[in-house]
Amino acid sequence: KQEVTQIPAALSVPEGENLVLNCSFTDSAIYNLQWFRQDPGKGLTSLLLIQSSQREQTSGRLNASLDKSSGRSTLYIAASQPGDSATYLCAGGYSGGGADGLTFGKGTHLIIQP
Amino acid sequence: DAGVIQSPRHEVTEMGQEVTLRCKPISGHNSLFWYRQTMMRGLELLIYFNNNVPIDDSGMPEDRFSAKMPNASFSTLKIQPSEPRDSAVYFCASSFRTGVHYGYTFGSGTRLTVV
């Protein structure tokens, strides 16, 4: 059974810092990995999707990497802002080319202190 | 595009009652997924459909849960009878299944409380 783990469960940093969120997965036969943001009481907003053939993806201040051999993905947030405060979830697609649904980690709750 | 639309946003019901959650996927998407989120277990896949056909329902917790997709633009998740342990946020997501997968779009969820 595939498992996705996110450590730490919670993180608090001052505004302006660069930070890294970690995601590990147990099965290297992963087709893709997707990072989401979830605000309190809200749905999931897709941030970045990395295919297994890719090493990283970038969008604005966000950069996500994927290392299948080590079973790790990281989400790098540059110059953090209070508006970045949210729960960040990573999820792996393991079947059907990644199209058969996702296995989620439990998320990292991020607080950016003004 | 209005995104994935779920209704209702909140539902409070009494134990034993039937609950129906609704989802309208993004137009043109051919796969639809139902997830449940709880504090203890996080997000779990319940069932998914491809081209309106249920493909994998192994995540459905009990026979009290059922899901249908009568057409490409509508799906329901029904719980009958509901129990307090069914209280959770239920998310619907859709995607376009093709040679390369381009990710999932989630709805805003339905927060279900069974008292």
Side-chain angles (χ1 to χ4, degrees):
Chain A
K1 179 183 177 183
Q2 298 93 3
E3 289 188 8
V4 177
T5 304
Q6 294 185 250
I7 296 174
L11 181 65
S12 181
V13 300
E15 179 179 5
E17 283 199 6
N18 303 323
L19 59 99
V20 174
L21 305 181
N22 295 299
C23 173
S24 61
F25 45 93
T26 56
D27 190 344
S28 62
I30 195 170
Y31 286 98
N32 50 44
L33 189 136
Q34 195 163 358
W35 282 91
F36 295 88
R37 167 184 173 140
Q38 185 174 27
D39 293 284
K42 305 291 185 181
L44 280 68
T45 300
S46 179
L47 298 174
L48 290 164
L49 169 69
I50 311 175
Q51 304 291 350
S52 60
S53 58
Q54 299 172 324
R55 297 282 296 185
E56 63 181 89
Q57 284 286 330
T58 298
S59 176
R61 294 183 294 110
L62 305 180
N63 176 277
S65 67
L66 176 64
D67 185 341
K68 287 183 58 177
S69 61
S70 67
R72 292 184 178 183
S73 176
T74 62
L75 179 66
Y76 174 83
I77 302 176
S80 59
Q81 304 170 357
D84 295 330
S85 298
T87 295
Y88 290 81
L89 296 154
C90 72
Y94 288 95
S95 177
D100 289 349
L102 293 167
T103 300
F104 278 86
K106 290 190 176 180
T108 294
H109 180 54
L110 176 65
I111 297 175
I112 306 299
Q113 307 156 8
Chain B
D1 193 332
V4 177
I5 299 173
Q6 293 187 246
S7 64
R9 288 298 308 277
H10 303 273
E11 177 80 31
V12 180
T13 191
E14 292 185 348
M15 182 174 62
Q17 295 298 306
E18 177 180 295
V19 175
T20 299
L21 311 181
R22 297 172 176 80
C23 176
K24 176 180 170 57
I26 288 176
S27 177
H29 280 189
N30 56 5
S31 292
L32 183 141
F33 304 80
W34 284 99
Y35 288 84
R36 179 172 67 175
Q37 185 178 38
T38 61
M39 288 292 293
M40 288 294 294
R41 300 173 68 92
L43 271 155
E44 300 174 291
L45 178 63
L46 300 178
I47 184 172
Y48 79 93
F49 297 81
N50 191 42
N51 293 324
N52 312 338
V53 176
I55 303 300
D56 184 358
D57 65 354
S58 60
M60 297 284 261
E62 299 173 35
D63 291 344
R64 298 183 296 106
F65 286 69
S66 63
K68 293 182 180 180
M69 192 165 186
N71 56 62
S73 59
F74 183 66
S75 177
T76 59
L77 178 67
K78 185 177 294 186
I79 308 173
Q80 166 63 17
S82 58
E83 296 183 4
R85 60 194 167 120
D86 301 331
S87 298
V89 181
Y90 291 81
F91 287 102
C92 176
S94 70
S95 69
F96 180 60
R97 189 187 189 104
T98 179
V100 176
H101 192 249
Y102 292 104
Y104 303 83
T105 302
F106 280 73
S108 298
T110 295
R111 182 174 295 276
L112 174 64
T113 303
V114 183
V115 298

